[in-house]
Amino acid sequence: MTGLGAIFLPQNPPERLRSIARAADEAGLEQLWLWEDCFLNSGVAAAAAALAWTTRLRVGIGILPAPLRNVALTAMEVATLHRMFGDRAIVGVGHGVQEWMAQVGVKAASPMTMLREQATALRELLRGETVTAEGRYVRLAEVKLDWPPEQPPALFIGATGPKTLQLSGELADGTILTGGTSPEGVRAAREHIGRADGHQLVVFLPAAMGPTAADRMARQQERYGMDFPGVAGDARAVAATVERFAEAGATTVVLQPTVDDPDPEAFVRAVATEVRPLVG
């Protein structure tokens, strides 16, 4: 069965997360995803709060920009989430938006090298291994977590370009694709990932429902000009589009509301109670 989720956009104030997360949990939504976009909401703090406020909901962070953190800190945070909440916590990492990384003085001269070193060390640390590394960006001297997860969690990498997709296929258990990726883009990503062994593929799909859906989606497309503008319509139209992405190779489709969605709580409820029953 195709996984289905929704996004809590970081353009919402952090204090809004509680009501949206609880609405999602009460409606039976499978997954709620958060973004750590600069300079909006923190991913780890928001995820921990959402997990604590709910009982069944899985909460994903898509993604943590790796250059912002020492990999040992990332490992500590991911391990803590998994020790407290098990596999309800889903965490993805990536090389971040380069313009933002430059703003805070952590832009890597080689984002691919940085991400490879970070992902490799992160995976080893979360397995409870003692890690020594003398890389270009990751330098660790016999670092070992005192409280590693009881079971190593799945590692997700956010990727767009062919090289990053190939890296994700090599090192990660799953790949996260940005909103605006088309079904054809999903197929191409599968080819670059190059694995057919259960590698998960999460894609964010812009979606709008309700009487103003078409207008809101048109405004969003005018502003961002995405390759795939998304879907505007009723639950049946949204579900049909989700199926297109599943057929293209997505294992989980996460519906991304417009920034001006008038009722985010109603959006997550509709994903859970109206769209989910129509998706195989």
mmCIF file with all atom_site columns, all heavy atoms in Angstrom, residues 109-133:
data_model
loop_
_atom_site.group_PDB
_atom_site.id
_atom_site.type_symbol
_atom_site.label_atom_id
_atom_site.label_alt_id
_atom_site.label_comp_id
_atom_site.label_asym_id
_atom_site.label_entity_id
_atom_site.label_seq_id
_atom_site.pdbx_PDB_ins_code
_atom_site.Cartn_x
_atom_site.Cartn_y
_atom_site.Cartn_z
_atom_site.occupancy
_atom_site.B_iso_or_equiv
_atom_site.pdbx_formal_charge
_atom_site.auth_seq_id
_atom_site.auth_comp_id
_atom_site.auth_asym_id
_atom_site.auth_atom_id
_atom_site.pdbx_PDB_model_num
ATOM 1   N N   . ALA A 1 109 ? 32.492 23.705 0.008  1.00 0.00 ? 109 ALA A N   1
ATOM 2   C CA  . ALA A 1 109 ? 33.065 23.830 -1.330 1.00 0.00 ? 109 ALA A CA  1
ATOM 3   C C   . ALA A 1 109 ? 32.662 22.644 -2.190 1.00 0.00 ? 109 ALA A C   1
ATOM 4   O O   . ALA A 1 109 ? 32.492 22.764 -3.400 1.00 0.00 ? 109 ALA A O   1
ATOM 5   C CB  . ALA A 1 109 ? 34.580 23.942 -1.243 1.00 0.00 ? 109 ALA A CB  1
ATOM 6   N N   . SER A 1 110 ? 32.491 21.485 -1.561 1.00 0.00 ? 110 SER A N   1
ATOM 7   C CA  . SER A 1 110 ? 32.034 20.282 -2.261 1.00 0.00 ? 110 SER A CA  1
ATOM 8   C C   . SER A 1 110 ? 30.853 19.694 -1.497 1.00 0.00 ? 110 SER A C   1
ATOM 9   O O   . SER A 1 110 ? 31.037 18.862 -0.588 1.00 0.00 ? 110 SER A O   1
ATOM 10  C CB  . SER A 1 110 ? 33.156 19.244 -2.372 1.00 0.00 ? 110 SER A CB  1
ATOM 11  O OG  . SER A 1 110 ? 32.664 18.044 -2.956 1.00 0.00 ? 110 SER A OG  1
ATOM 12  N N   . PRO A 1 111 ? 29.623 20.116 -1.820 1.00 0.00 ? 111 PRO A N   1
ATOM 13  C CA  . PRO A 1 111 ? 28.461 19.593 -1.091 1.00 0.00 ? 111 PRO A CA  1
ATOM 14  C C   . PRO A 1 111 ? 28.347 18.072 -1.156 1.00 0.00 ? 111 PRO A C   1
ATOM 15  O O   . PRO A 1 111 ? 27.909 17.442 -0.187 1.00 0.00 ? 111 PRO A O   1
ATOM 16  C CB  . PRO A 1 111 ? 27.282 20.269 -1.799 1.00 0.00 ? 111 PRO A CB  1
ATOM 17  C CG  . PRO A 1 111 ? 27.853 21.512 -2.384 1.00 0.00 ? 111 PRO A CG  1
ATOM 18  C CD  . PRO A 1 111 ? 29.240 21.142 -2.800 1.00 0.00 ? 111 PRO A CD  1
ATOM 19  N N   . MET A 1 112 ? 28.753 17.477 -2.265 1.00 0.00 ? 112 MET A N   1
ATOM 20  C CA  . MET A 1 112 ? 28.656 16.020 -2.388 1.00 0.00 ? 112 MET A CA  1
ATOM 21  C C   . MET A 1 112 ? 29.608 15.326 -1.426 1.00 0.00 ? 112 MET A C   1
ATOM 22  O O   . MET A 1 112 ? 29.247 14.339 -0.779 1.00 0.00 ? 112 MET A O   1
ATOM 23  C CB  . MET A 1 112 ? 28.956 15.597 -3.824 1.00 0.00 ? 112 MET A CB  1
ATOM 24  C CG  . MET A 1 112 ? 27.857 15.958 -4.817 1.00 0.00 ? 112 MET A CG  1
ATOM 25  S SD  . MET A 1 112 ? 26.291 15.113 -4.445 1.00 0.00 ? 112 MET A SD  1
ATOM 26  C CE  . MET A 1 112 ? 26.808 13.415 -4.610 1.00 0.00 ? 112 MET A CE  1
ATOM 27  N N   . THR A 1 113 ? 30.836 15.818 -1.333 1.00 0.00 ? 113 THR A N   1
ATOM 28  C CA  . THR A 1 113 ? 31.795 15.223 -0.400 1.00 0.00 ? 113 THR A CA  1
ATOM 29  C C   . THR A 1 113 ? 31.299 15.373 1.030  1.00 0.00 ? 113 THR A C   1
ATOM 30  O O   . THR A 1 113 ? 31.369 14.439 1.833  1.00 0.00 ? 113 THR A O   1
ATOM 31  C CB  . THR A 1 113 ? 33.174 15.892 -0.555 1.00 0.00 ? 113 THR A CB  1
ATOM 32  O OG1 . THR A 1 113 ? 33.628 15.712 -1.897 1.00 0.00 ? 113 THR A OG1 1
ATOM 33  C CG2 . THR A 1 113 ? 34.193 15.296 0.400  1.00 0.00 ? 113 THR A CG2 1
ATOM 34  N N   . MET A 1 114 ? 30.803 16.571 1.358  1.00 0.00 ? 114 MET A N   1
ATOM 35  C CA  . MET A 1 114 ? 30.285 16.810 2.696  1.00 0.00 ? 114 MET A CA  1
ATOM 36  C C   . MET A 1 114 ? 29.149 15.849 3.026  1.00 0.00 ? 114 MET A C   1
ATOM 37  O O   . MET A 1 114 ? 29.136 15.214 4.088  1.00 0.00 ? 114 MET A O   1
ATOM 38  C CB  . MET A 1 114 ? 29.794 18.262 2.804  1.00 0.00 ? 114 MET A CB  1
ATOM 39  C CG  . MET A 1 114 ? 29.240 18.672 4.165  1.00 0.00 ? 114 MET A CG  1
ATOM 40  S SD  . MET A 1 114 ? 27.529 18.172 4.464  1.00 0.00 ? 114 MET A SD  1
ATOM 41  C CE  . MET A 1 114 ? 26.740 18.899 3.035  1.00 0.00 ? 114 MET A CE  1
ATOM 42  N N   . LEU A 1 115 ? 28.198 15.683 2.106  1.00 0.00 ? 115 LEU A N   1
ATOM 43  C CA  . LEU A 1 115 ? 27.055 14.823 2.376  1.00 0.00 ? 115 LEU A CA  1
ATOM 44  C C   . LEU A 1 115 ? 27.479 13.364 2.471  1.00 0.00 ? 115 LEU A C   1
ATOM 45  O O   . LEU A 1 115 ? 26.979 12.623 3.324  1.00 0.00 ? 115 LEU A O   1
ATOM 46  C CB  . LEU A 1 115 ? 25.993 15.004 1.287  1.00 0.00 ? 115 LEU A CB  1
ATOM 47  C CG  . LEU A 1 115 ? 24.674 14.255 1.492  1.00 0.00 ? 115 LEU A CG  1
ATOM 48  C CD1 . LEU A 1 115 ? 24.043 14.620 2.836  1.00 0.00 ? 115 LEU A CD1 1
ATOM 49  C CD2 . LEU A 1 115 ? 23.707 14.548 0.351  1.00 0.00 ? 115 LEU A CD2 1
ATOM 50  N N   . ARG A 1 116 ? 28.399 12.941 1.634  1.00 0.00 ? 116 ARG A N   1
ATOM 51  C CA  . ARG A 1 116 ? 28.884 11.561 1.711  1.00 0.00 ? 116 ARG A CA  1
ATOM 52  C C   . ARG A 1 116 ? 29.521 11.306 3.071  1.00 0.00 ? 116 ARG A C   1
ATOM 53  O O   . ARG A 1 116 ? 29.249 10.284 3.714  1.00 0.00 ? 116 ARG A O   1
ATOM 54  C CB  . ARG A 1 116 ? 29.887 11.289 0.596  1.00 0.00 ? 116 ARG A CB  1
ATOM 55  C CG  . ARG A 1 116 ? 30.544 9.905  0.683  1.00 0.00 ? 116 ARG A CG  1
ATOM 56  C CD  . ARG A 1 116 ? 31.510 9.654  -0.443 1.00 0.00 ? 116 ARG A CD  1
ATOM 57  N NE  . ARG A 1 116 ? 30.786 9.485  -1.698 1.00 0.00 ? 116 ARG A NE  1
ATOM 58  C CZ  . ARG A 1 116 ? 30.215 8.346  -2.079 1.00 0.00 ? 116 ARG A CZ  1
ATOM 59  N NH1 . ARG A 1 116 ? 30.262 7.267  -1.281 1.00 0.00 ? 116 ARG A NH1 1
ATOM 60  N NH2 . ARG A 1 116 ? 29.585 8.267  -3.227 1.00 0.00 ? 116 ARG A NH2 1
ATOM 61  N N   . GLU A 1 117 ? 30.384 12.215 3.509  1.00 0.00 ? 117 GLU A N   1
ATOM 62  C CA  . GLU A 1 117 ? 31.058 12.021 4.791  1.00 0.00 ? 117 GLU A CA  1
ATOM 63  C C   . GLU A 1 117 ? 30.058 12.046 5.951  1.00 0.00 ? 117 GLU A C   1
ATOM 64  O O   . GLU A 1 117 ? 30.146 11.224 6.874  1.00 0.00 ? 117 GLU A O   1
ATOM 65  C CB  . GLU A 1 117 ? 32.120 13.104 4.985  1.00 0.00 ? 117 GLU A CB  1
ATOM 66  C CG  . GLU A 1 117 ? 33.305 12.968 4.028  1.00 0.00 ? 117 GLU A CG  1
ATOM 67  C CD  . GLU A 1 117 ? 34.352 14.045 4.249  1.00 0.00 ? 117 GLU A CD  1
ATOM 68  O OE1 . GLU A 1 117 ? 34.194 14.863 5.195  1.00 0.00 ? 117 GLU A OE1 1
ATOM 69  O OE2 . GLU A 1 117 ? 35.341 14.072 3.490  1.00 0.00 ? 117 GLU A OE2 1
ATOM 70  N N   . GLN A 1 118 ? 29.118 12.987 5.907  1.00 0.00 ? 118 GLN A N   1
ATOM 71  C CA  . GLN A 1 118 ? 28.126 13.082 6.977  1.00 0.00 ? 118 GLN A CA  1
ATOM 72  C C   . GLN A 1 118 ? 27.233 11.845 7.029  1.00 0.00 ? 118 GLN A C   1
ATOM 73  O O   . GLN A 1 118 ? 26.992 11.279 8.098  1.00 0.00 ? 118 GLN A O   1
ATOM 74  C CB  . GLN A 1 118 ? 27.272 14.339 6.774  1.00 0.00 ? 118 GLN A CB  1
ATOM 75  C CG  . GLN A 1 118 ? 27.968 15.629 7.141  1.00 0.00 ? 118 GLN A CG  1
ATOM 76  C CD  . GLN A 1 118 ? 27.419 16.237 8.428  1.00 0.00 ? 118 GLN A CD  1
ATOM 77  O OE1 . GLN A 1 118 ? 26.522 15.693 9.071  1.00 0.00 ? 118 GLN A OE1 1
ATOM 78  N NE2 . GLN A 1 118 ? 27.959 17.376 8.803  1.00 0.00 ? 118 GLN A NE2 1
ATOM 79  N N   . ALA A 1 119 ? 26.721 11.421 5.870  1.00 0.00 ? 119 ALA A N   1
ATOM 80  C CA  . ALA A 1 119 ? 25.808 10.278 5.845  1.00 0.00 ? 119 ALA A CA  1
ATOM 81  C C   . ALA A 1 119 ? 26.513 8.995  6.290  1.00 0.00 ? 119 ALA A C   1
ATOM 82  O O   . ALA A 1 119 ? 25.931 8.169  7.012  1.00 0.00 ? 119 ALA A O   1
ATOM 83  C CB  . ALA A 1 119 ? 25.222 10.103 4.447  1.00 0.00 ? 119 ALA A CB  1
ATOM 84  N N   . THR A 1 120 ? 27.747 8.832  5.871  1.00 0.00 ? 120 THR A N   1
ATOM 85  C CA  . THR A 1 120 ? 28.501 7.632  6.257  1.00 0.00 ? 120 THR A CA  1
ATOM 86  C C   . THR A 1 120 ? 28.718 7.589  7.765  1.00 0.00 ? 120 THR A C   1
ATOM 87  O O   . THR A 1 120 ? 28.470 6.567  8.419  1.00 0.00 ? 120 THR A O   1
ATOM 88  C CB  . THR A 1 120 ? 29.852 7.604  5.527  1.00 0.00 ? 120 THR A CB  1
ATOM 89  O OG1 . THR A 1 120 ? 29.628 7.566  4.114  1.00 0.00 ? 120 THR A OG1 1
ATOM 90  C CG2 . THR A 1 120 ? 30.664 6.386  5.939  1.00 0.00 ? 120 THR A CG2 1
ATOM 91  N N   . ALA A 1 121 ? 29.176 8.700  8.328  1.00 0.00 ? 121 ALA A N   1
ATOM 92  C CA  . ALA A 1 121 ? 29.427 8.742  9.765  1.00 0.00 ? 121 ALA A CA  1
ATOM 93  C C   . ALA A 1 121 ? 28.134 8.627  10.562 1.00 0.00 ? 121 ALA A C   1
ATOM 94  O O   . ALA A 1 121 ? 28.079 7.943  11.600 1.00 0.00 ? 121 ALA A O   1
ATOM 95  C CB  . ALA A 1 121 ? 30.163 10.033 10.128 1.00 0.00 ? 121 ALA A CB  1
ATOM 96  N N   . LEU A 1 122 ? 27.073 9.285  10.083 1.00 0.00 ? 122 LEU A N   1
ATOM 97  C CA  . LEU A 1 122 ? 25.799 9.227  10.782 1.00 0.00 ? 122 LEU A CA  1
ATOM 98  C C   . LEU A 1 122 ? 25.279 7.797  10.852 1.00 0.00 ? 122 LEU A C   1
ATOM 99  O O   . LEU A 1 122 ? 24.817 7.331  11.905 1.00 0.00 ? 122 LEU A O   1
ATOM 100 C CB  . LEU A 1 122 ? 24.780 10.126 10.076 1.00 0.00 ? 122 LEU A CB  1
ATOM 101 C CG  . LEU A 1 122 ? 23.373 10.184 10.671 1.00 0.00 ? 122 LEU A CG  1
ATOM 102 C CD1 . LEU A 1 122 ? 23.402 10.674 12.100 1.00 0.00 ? 122 LEU A CD1 1
ATOM 103 C CD2 . LEU A 1 122 ? 22.474 11.078 9.815  1.00 0.00 ? 122 LEU A CD2 1
ATOM 104 N N   . ARG A 1 123 ? 25.367 7.103  9.753  1.00 0.00 ? 123 ARG A N   1
ATOM 105 C CA  . ARG A 1 123 ? 24.893 5.723  9.728  1.00 0.00 ? 123 ARG A CA  1
ATOM 106 C C   . ARG A 1 123 ? 25.683 4.861  10.716 1.00 0.00 ? 123 ARG A C   1
ATOM 107 O O   . ARG A 1 123 ? 25.115 4.047  11.448 1.00 0.00 ? 123 ARG A O   1
ATOM 108 C CB  . ARG A 1 123 ? 25.015 5.177  8.309  1.00 0.00 ? 123 ARG A CB  1
ATOM 109 C CG  . ARG A 1 123 ? 24.601 3.726  8.174  1.00 0.00 ? 123 ARG A CG  1
ATOM 110 C CD  . ARG A 1 123 ? 24.095 3.427  6.786  1.00 0.00 ? 123 ARG A CD  1
ATOM 111 N NE  . ARG A 1 123 ? 22.955 2.532  6.849  1.00 0.00 ? 123 ARG A NE  1
ATOM 112 C CZ  . ARG A 1 123 ? 22.083 2.373  5.886  1.00 0.00 ? 123 ARG A CZ  1
ATOM 113 N NH1 . ARG A 1 123 ? 22.190 3.085  4.799  1.00 0.00 ? 123 ARG A NH1 1
ATOM 114 N NH2 . ARG A 1 123 ? 21.079 1.532  5.995  1.00 0.00 ? 123 ARG A NH2 1
ATOM 115 N N   . GLU A 1 124 ? 26.991 5.033  10.731 1.00 0.00 ? 124 GLU A N   1
ATOM 116 C CA  . GLU A 1 124 ? 27.823 4.236  11.633 1.00 0.00 ? 124 GLU A CA  1
ATOM 117 C C   . GLU A 1 124 ? 27.530 4.560  13.099 1.00 0.00 ? 124 GLU A C   1
ATOM 118 O O   . GLU A 1 124 ? 27.440 3.657  13.940 1.00 0.00 ? 124 GLU A O   1
ATOM 119 C CB  . GLU A 1 124 ? 29.297 4.482  11.308 1.00 0.00 ? 124 GLU A CB  1
ATOM 120 C CG  . GLU A 1 124 ? 29.706 3.941  9.936  1.00 0.00 ? 124 GLU A CG  1
ATOM 121 C CD  . GLU A 1 124 ? 31.090 4.389  9.509  1.00 0.00 ? 124 GLU A CD  1
ATOM 122 O OE1 . GLU A 1 124 ? 31.653 5.289  10.179 1.00 0.00 ? 124 GLU A OE1 1
ATOM 123 O OE2 . GLU A 1 124 ? 31.607 3.860  8.506  1.00 0.00 ? 124 GLU A OE2 1
ATOM 124 N N   . LEU A 1 125 ? 27.372 5.830  13.410 1.00 0.00 ? 125 LEU A N   1
ATOM 125 C CA  . LEU A 1 125 ? 27.081 6.223  14.789 1.00 0.00 ? 125 LEU A CA  1
ATOM 126 C C   . LEU A 1 125 ? 25.736 5.665  15.257 1.00 0.00 ? 125 LEU A C   1
ATOM 127 O O   . LEU A 1 125 ? 25.608 5.183  16.390 1.00 0.00 ? 125 LEU A O   1
ATOM 128 C CB  . LEU A 1 125 ? 27.087 7.744  14.917 1.00 0.00 ? 125 LEU A CB  1
ATOM 129 C CG  . LEU A 1 125 ? 28.462 8.412  14.833 1.00 0.00 ? 125 LEU A CG  1
ATOM 130 C CD1 . LEU A 1 125 ? 28.312 9.914  14.640 1.00 0.00 ? 125 LEU A CD1 1
ATOM 131 C CD2 . LEU A 1 125 ? 29.285 8.111  16.083 1.00 0.00 ? 125 LEU A CD2 1
ATOM 132 N N   . LEU A 1 126 ? 24.741 5.708  14.380 1.00 0.00 ? 126 LEU A N   1
ATOM 133 C CA  . LEU A 1 126 ? 23.414 5.212  14.753 1.00 0.00 ? 126 LEU A CA  1
ATOM 134 C C   . LEU A 1 126 ? 23.374 3.699  14.872 1.00 0.00 ? 126 LEU A C   1
ATOM 135 O O   . LEU A 1 126 ? 22.441 3.135  15.443 1.00 0.00 ? 126 LEU A O   1
ATOM 136 C CB  . LEU A 1 126 ? 22.368 5.700  13.745 1.00 0.00 ? 126 LEU A CB  1
ATOM 137 C CG  . LEU A 1 126 ? 22.109 7.213  13.777 1.00 0.00 ? 126 LEU A CG  1
ATOM 138 C CD1 . LEU A 1 126 ? 21.171 7.623  12.649 1.00 0.00 ? 126 LEU A CD1 1
ATOM 139 C CD2 . LEU A 1 126 ? 21.534 7.641  15.128 1.00 0.00 ? 126 LEU A CD2 1
ATOM 140 N N   . ARG A 1 127 ? 24.379 3.025  14.343 1.00 0.00 ? 127 ARG A N   1
ATOM 141 C CA  . ARG A 1 127 ? 24.515 1.581  14.529 1.00 0.00 ? 127 ARG A CA  1
ATOM 142 C C   . ARG A 1 127 ? 25.234 1.247  15.834 1.00 0.00 ? 127 ARG A C   1
ATOM 143 O O   . ARG A 1 127 ? 25.440 0.082  16.151 1.00 0.00 ? 127 ARG A O   1
ATOM 144 C CB  . ARG A 1 127 ? 25.284 0.978  13.362 1.00 0.00 ? 127 ARG A CB  1
ATOM 145 C CG  . ARG A 1 127 ? 24.512 0.911  12.055 1.00 0.00 ? 127 ARG A CG  1
ATOM 146 C CD  . ARG A 1 127 ? 25.420 0.437  10.936 1.00 0.00 ? 127 ARG A CD  1
ATOM 147 N NE  . ARG A 1 127 ? 24.688 0.238  9.685  1.00 0.00 ? 127 ARG A NE  1
ATOM 148 C CZ  . ARG A 1 127 ? 25.260 0.031  8.509  1.00 0.00 ? 127 ARG A CZ  1
ATOM 149 N NH1 . ARG A 1 127 ? 26.589 0.015  8.409  1.00 0.00 ? 127 ARG A NH1 1
ATOM 150 N NH2 . ARG A 1 127 ? 24.528 -0.137 7.430  1.00 0.00 ? 127 ARG A NH2 1
ATOM 151 N N   . GLY A 1 128 ? 25.648 2.267  16.567 1.00 0.00 ? 128 GLY A N   1
ATOM 152 C CA  . GLY A 1 128 ? 26.336 2.046  17.827 1.00 0.00 ? 128 GLY A CA  1
ATOM 153 C C   . GLY A 1 128 ? 27.821 1.810  17.687 1.00 0.00 ? 128 GLY A C   1
ATOM 154 O O   . GLY A 1 128 ? 28.482 1.386  18.645 1.00 0.00 ? 128 GLY A O   1
ATOM 155 N N   . GLU A 1 129 ? 28.361 2.121  16.517 1.00 0.00 ? 129 GLU A N   1
ATOM 156 C CA  . GLU A 1 129 ? 29.776 1.883  16.276 1.00 0.00 ? 129 GLU A CA  1
ATOM 157 C C   . GLU A 1 129 ? 30.631 3.015  16.842 1.00 0.00 ? 129 GLU A C   1
ATOM 158 O O   . GLU A 1 129 ? 30.156 4.137  17.050 1.00 0.00 ? 129 GLU A O   1
ATOM 159 C CB  . GLU A 1 129 ? 30.041 1.753  14.768 1.00 0.00 ? 129 GLU A CB  1
ATOM 160 C CG  . GLU A 1 129 ? 29.290 0.600  14.117 1.00 0.00 ? 129 GLU A CG  1
ATOM 161 C CD  . GLU A 1 129 ? 29.465 0.563  12.607 1.00 0.00 ? 129 GLU A CD  1
ATOM 162 O OE1 . GLU A 1 129 ? 30.371 1.261  12.095 1.00 0.00 ? 129 GLU A OE1 1
ATOM 163 O OE2 . GLU A 1 129 ? 28.701 -0.164 11.940 1.00 0.00 ? 129 GLU A OE2 1
ATOM 164 N N   . THR A 1 130 ? 31.899 2.701  17.099 1.00 0.00 ? 130 THR A N   1
ATOM 165 C CA  . THR A 1 130 ? 32.874 3.712  17.463 1.00 0.00 ? 130 THR A CA  1
ATOM 166 C C   . THR A 1 130 ? 33.496 4.240  16.172 1.00 0.00 ? 130 THR A C   1
ATOM 167 O O   . THR A 1 130 ? 34.038 3.459  15.380 1.00 0.00 ? 130 THR A O   1
ATOM 168 C CB  . THR A 1 130 ? 33.965 3.131  18.369 1.00 0.00 ? 130 THR A CB  1
ATOM 169 O OG1 . THR A 1 130 ? 33.353 2.619  19.564 1.00 0.00 ? 130 THR A OG1 1
ATOM 170 C CG2 . THR A 1 130 ? 34.985 4.195  18.746 1.00 0.00 ? 130 THR A CG2 1
ATOM 171 N N   . VAL A 1 131 ? 33.388 5.539  15.964 1.00 0.00 ? 131 VAL A N   1
ATOM 172 C CA  . VAL A 1 131 ? 33.726 6.112  14.664 1.00 0.00 ? 131 VAL A CA  1
ATOM 173 C C   . VAL A 1 131 ? 34.921 7.058  14.770 1.00 0.00 ? 131 VAL A C   1
ATOM 174 O O   . VAL A 1 131 ? 34.928 7.979  15.596 1.00 0.00 ? 131 VAL A O   1
ATOM 175 C CB  . VAL A 1 131 ? 32.525 6.871  14.064 1.00 0.00 ? 131 VAL A CB  1
ATOM 176 C CG1 . VAL A 1 131 ? 32.881 7.430  12.689 1.00 0.00 ? 131 VAL A CG1 1
ATOM 177 C CG2 . VAL A 1 131 ? 31.308 5.952  13.968 1.00 0.00 ? 131 VAL A CG2 1
ATOM 178 N N   . THR A 1 132 ? 35.906 6.802  13.934 1.00 0.00 ? 132 THR A N   1
ATOM 179 C CA  . THR A 1 132 ? 37.026 7.712  13.738 1.00 0.00 ? 132 THR A CA  1
ATOM 180 C C   . THR A 1 132 ? 37.047 8.099  12.271 1.00 0.00 ? 132 THR A C   1
ATOM 181 O O   . THR A 1 132 ? 36.977 7.230  11.395 1.00 0.00 ? 132 THR A O   1
ATOM 182 C CB  . THR A 1 132 ? 38.361 7.065  14.143 1.00 0.00 ? 132 THR A CB  1
ATOM 183 O OG1 . THR A 1 132 ? 38.345 6.800  15.561 1.00 0.00 ? 132 THR A OG1 1
ATOM 184 C CG2 . THR A 1 132 ? 39.540 7.989  13.825 1.00 0.00 ? 132 THR A CG2 1
ATOM 185 N N   . ALA A 1 133 ? 37.090 9.382  12.004 1.00 0.00 ? 133 ALA A N   1
ATOM 186 C CA  . ALA A 1 133 ? 37.070 9.849  10.620 1.00 0.00 ? 133 ALA A CA  1
ATOM 187 C C   . ALA A 1 133 ? 37.990 11.050 10.480 1.00 0.00 ? 133 ALA A C   1
ATOM 188 O O   . ALA A 1 133 ? 38.021 11.936 11.341 1.00 0.00 ? 133 ALA A O   1
ATOM 189 C CB  . ALA A 1 133 ? 35.649 10.223 10.199 1.00 0.00 ? 133 ALA A CB  1
#
